Amino acid sequence: MIAAASSIPRDELLFSYKGILYPAAVCNPEVFKALESFEARSDDVILAGYPKSGTNWLSQIITDLITISQKKTPGRESSVNAEEEFPYLEIGDAEKYEILLLIRNPKDLATSFYHFSNGLATLPSYETWDDFFTDFMTKKMAWGCYFEYLSEWNKYADQENIMTITYEEVKENPALAVKNIAMFFGIPLTEEELQLVVERSSFQSMKKNSEKTHGVFGNILFRKGCVSDWKNLFSEDQNEKMDKAFEERVAGTKLGKKLKYDLYCKA
Ligand SMILES: Nc1ncnc2c1ncn2[C@@H]1O[C@H](COP(=O)(O)OS(=O)(=O)O)[C@@H](OP(=O)(O)O)[C@H]1O
């Protein structure tokens, strides 16, 4: 499906559902409609992340944690296939289940999204970074505007069943991040299990394993896996524009503070 999309004209690549754009090759309005009445089970685990925030990274960590937890559950030892049990979903009522909310600094996220858009046939590609930046700042992105995404999730960030984690904090101290995630989902871990999850979710391990886990898509997905790559793309003027938008729209919120913008997004 991803390869077939390359022949689709640019203006047919995205469709709008309730005011937000989605890639037509992988999303379907019928699915969104059906998900409005989706009922989750109380032990379902949901990972919410805007594109390029590190979703595949955190789903690797959660999948391993679930596998470890299931191995310890009597009667489920042999039925472990966590990958199959962790599909992508768009969700309705956010109150019924525990949600790990993943966010990433907007400059690295935009940088990652730009390279991804140009590597993937299902998304509109961009001749220049400047063109991408303009669209990113004016709500023309697939999966909507990142600033709106942050403002919307900010309404729920205080709820007990939501744990927010940043890409940067997992990068800074992976062991602590895995420990906190495991604690949030009530999964006890031995020191050995913790080290295993950390090792298997390192960028190097995931990239090395990516052909098996993601096929050819792996090469596009596991690009650099670092913090501050934005410094290679952003102009002075673009820095000013994004700093201003962040200050006006997100800086004062709980999620805004959690992102440590001054540390990760100022030169
Ligand atoms: N293990 C690990 N460690 C550090 N960073 C990692 C890891 N796995 C994925 N990544 C980086 O996450 C970026 C992709 O984000 P997503 O998985 O959310 O992409 S997607 O929206 O599902 O396509 C993308 O970021 P960039 O490298 O900056 O493009 C990936 O490289």
Side-chain angles (χ1 to χ4, degrees):
M1 198 160 37
I2 288 172
S6 57
S7 56
I8 300 175
R10 187 185 171 92
D11 61 356
E12 287 172 25
L13 282 170
L14 304 179
F15 70 93
S16 173
Y17 184 78
K18 297 203 169 169
I20 295 186
L21 297 170
Y22 296 96
V26 289
C27 295
N28 180 335
E30 293 308 312
V31 174
F32 288 109
K33 259 186 226 130
L35 282 170
E36 282 170 20
S37 55
F38 167 72
E39 289 278 339
R41 292 169 308 202
S42 60
D43 60 349
D44 279 349
V45 166
I46 308 255
L47 168 64
Y50 187 84
K52 316 322 292 176
S53 52
T55 333
N56 285 272
W57 184 13
L58 272 290
S59 70
Q60 161 73 38
I61 291 176
I62 296 173
T63 300
D64 270 359
L65 290 176
I66 293 171
T67 305
I68 288 168
S69 158
Q70 285 185 345
K71 277 188 186 144
K72 293 177 185 169
T73 310
R76 297 214 64 185
E77 305 90 331
S78 59
S79 66
V80 177
N81 189 346
E83 276 92 352
E84 277 176 18
E85 295 190 17
F86 203 4
Y88 277 73
L89 278 184
E90 305 294 334
I91 53 161
D93 182 356
E95 282 172 25
K96 285 185 197 152
Y97 14 84
E98 290 179 319
I99 292 174
L100 183 62
L101 172 62
L102 170 64
I103 54 179
R104 186 179 189 182
N105 85 64
K107 290 188 182 174
D108 277 336
L109 184 140
T111 302
S112 178
F113 210 163
Y114 167 63
H115 291 293
F116 190 65
S117 301
N118 281 352
L120 206 68
T122 47
L123 291 174
S125 58
Y126 288 86
E127 255 173 47
T128 66
W129 154 251
D130 292 352
D131 292 344
F132 176 89
F133 181 82
T134 306
D135 273 11
F136 187 83
M137 297 302 283
T138 54
K139 307 183 180 185
K140 290 195 190 118
M141 301 314 298
W143 287 284
C145 163
Y146 187 46
F147 293 120
E148 278 175 17
Y149 176 89
L150 290 172
S151 311
E152 193 57 30
W153 272 107
N154 199 59
K155 296 179 191 160
Y156 308 97
D158 276 332
Q159 290 184 1
E160 251 176 40
N161 61 341
I162 295 184
M163 170 180 165
T164 307
I165 198 158
T166 66
Y167 179 99
E168 293 75 21
E169 76 181 277
V170 189
K171 193 80 200 168
E172 204 118 304
N173 192 339
L176 182 64
V178 172
K179 229 186 228 176
N180 289 339
I181 296 167
M183 213 170 354
F184 175 67
F185 289 120
I187 299 172
L189 283 184
T190 63
E191 190 55 33
E192 230 171 57
E193 287 165 341
L194 172 69
Q195 288 314 322
L196 182 79
V197 177
V198 169
E199 155 44 37
R200 280 171 48 86
S201 61
S202 74
F203 183 74
Q204 289 73 13
S205 307
M206 288 186 70
K207 193 173 174 65
K208 207 166 129 206
N209 209 19
S210 68
E211 214 186 309
K212 247 192 283 160
T213 55
H214 293 77
V216 284
F217 181 59
N219 268 339
I220 305 164
L221 189 69
F222 299 97
R223 194 184 60 93
K224 282 199 174 171
C226 66
V227 175
S228 293
D229 194 36
W230 62 268
K231 291 181 182 170
N232 292 318
L233 283 179
F234 274 70
S235 67
E236 235 357 81
D237 180 56
Q238 289 164 343
N239 273 325
E240 263 174 41
K241 283 197 174 106
M242 186 167 282
D243 294 353
K244 187 162 177 280
F246 189 85
E247 186 58 39
E248 285 172 5
R249 305 177 64 174
V250 199
T253 67
K254 190 174 170 180
L255 293 185
K257 294 194 177 92
K258 205 155 168 53
L259 278 168
K260 298 193 180 158
Y261 190 87
D262 283 358
L263 179 61
Y264 294 113
C265 290
K266 298 222 168 138

